[in-house]
């Protein structure tokens, strides 16, 4: 291989080295998937390819919540995955939005990741054969029509992708600005009382400005994409994709330790160490 102006393509060698790191870190992985993003149906197909989950029976999925909100209002939505096979006993999800902000709800077994919502572990079905997830969405400030995308994967928990299958749905939400109040006409014969000197000099007390709850600071742990306090194999794979220019660095900012807009082999090694030995306290 010849190099010109120090611009050799080291991608094949880099890929093999990174692949060995991911395999080494897999000894700490759980038997069940911790969820992925990008398969909600927003930007392409859902996870029904042979290499993902595509051999089982598709579930019935529904997305429930308000279909009209005020600008920047926050609402709670429910995503239900109902299994159509007795062998499929649990479910996972991936939710995305065309705009606005998705907010993770604690206690649902889900997490925020790359601006989307996904599961940390598959949720067991209830007595009705369905798994229900709740999440919140903050509407954009601009009025308009916006779409929530949700895909649910019904799984058999056999530790492989065989016998599982996903289905997807959408929900359109209209963001509508409140109409200004209509002024009540007054009679021309009615006199307006003249304010007193005290009323003219009085300074109105300003109303307190509501403040939003600050978002959590990025995790100090290299490669901890979702700020959960540990690094999973899925997060290492995300780092590999960023290093290979197959994914934007915004998919996992903690992977870019020096904040130079790219992920290097040194930063991936830091993430692998965190996956094997834990994040620093």
């Amino acid at each position: 291989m010849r190099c010109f102006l120090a611009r050799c393509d080291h991608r094949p060698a880099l890929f093999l080295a990174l692949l060995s790191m991911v395999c080494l870190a897999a000894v700490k992985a759980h038997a069940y998937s911790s969820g992925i993003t990008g398969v909600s149906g927003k930007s392409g197909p859902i996870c029904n390819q042979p290499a993902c989950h595509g051999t089982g029976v598709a579930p019935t999925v529904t997305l429930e919540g308000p279909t009209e909100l005020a600008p920047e209002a926050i609402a709670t939505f429910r995503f239900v995955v109902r299994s159509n096979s007795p062998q499929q006993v649990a479910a996972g999800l991936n939710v995305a939005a065309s705009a606005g902000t998705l907010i993770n709800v604690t206690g649902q077994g889900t997490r925020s990741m790359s601006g989307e919502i996904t599961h940390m572990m598959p949720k067991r079905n209830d007595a009705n054969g369905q798994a229900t997830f709740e999440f919140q969405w903050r509407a954009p400030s601009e009025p308009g029509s916006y779409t929530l995308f949700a895909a649910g994967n019904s799984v058999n928990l056999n530790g492989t992708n065989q016998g599982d299958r996903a289905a997807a749905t959408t929900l359109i939400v209209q963001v509508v600005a409140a109409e200004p109040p209509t002024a009540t006409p007054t009679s021309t014969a009615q006199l307006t009382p003249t304010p007193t000197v005290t009323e003219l000099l009085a300074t109105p007390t300003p109303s307190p400005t509501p403040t939003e709850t600050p978002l959590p600071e990025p995790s100090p742990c290299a490669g901890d994409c979702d700020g959960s306090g540990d690094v999973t194999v899925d997060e290492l794979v995300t780092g590999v994709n960023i290093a290979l220019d197959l994914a934007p660095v915004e998919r996992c900012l903690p992977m870019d330790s020096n904040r130079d807009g790219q992920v290097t082999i040194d930063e991936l090694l830091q993430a692998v160490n965190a996956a094997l030995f834990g994040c620093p306290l």
Side-chain angles (χ1 to χ4, degrees), residues 74-280:
I74 297 177
T76 299
F77 295 82
R78 297 173 72 251
F79 181 56
V80 181
V81 183
R82 183 173 63 81
S83 172
N84 291 317
S85 168
Q87 285 75 37
Q88 294 166 212
V89 295
L93 82 163
N94 179 210
V95 177
S98 60
T101 304
L102 289 168
I103 303 171
N104 187 56
V105 174
T106 59
Q108 298 296 309
T110 57
R111 61 179 175 174
S112 297
M113 184 176 178
S114 303
E116 301 180 3
I117 299 291
T118 187
H119 59 278
M120 293 186 291
M121 295 283 288
K123 177 179 282 191
R124 285 274 187 174
N125 295 344
D126 61 17
N128 297 319
Q130 63 185 32
T132 302
F133 304 87
E134 288 189 355
F135 64 92
Q136 292 183 324
W137 180 65
R138 184 195 299 274
S141 59
E142 293 296 325
S145 180
Y146 299 92
T147 304
L148 300 180
F149 303 83
N153 192 22
S154 189
V155 298
N156 56 17
L157 299 181
N158 66 355
T160 73
N161 61 359
Q162 299 301 304
D164 308 332
R165 194 168 182 84
T169 186
T170 59
L171 180 66
I172 297 177
V173 182
Q174 302 293 335
V175 176
V176 181
E179 296 183 0
T182 303
T184 303
T186 57
S187 172
T188 55
Q190 185 177 1
L191 297 178
T192 302
T194 303
T196 65
V197 174
T198 303
E199 292 173 336
L200 290 174
L201 295 178
T203 302
T205 302
S207 301
T209 302
T211 58
E212 294 184 357
T213 303
L215 295 175
E217 294 293 329
S219 172
C221 180
D224 183 11
C225 303
D226 63 351
S228 63
D230 57 8
V231 178
T232 66
V233 172
D234 291 335
E235 292 169 324
L236 291 177
V237 171
T238 298
V240 170
N241 288 334
I242 296 173
L244 295 175
D245 295 330
L246 299 177
V249 72
E250 289 78 12
R251 289 287 299 273
C252 185
L253 292 177
M255 194 70 67
D256 180 15
S257 301
N258 60 4
R259 298 297 190 265
D260 63 352
Q262 58 185 353
V263 173
T264 64
I265 186 70
D266 293 336
E267 292 168 323
L268 285 166
L269 284 171
Q270 295 176 17
V272 170
N273 285 335
L276 292 174
F277 306 111
C279 293

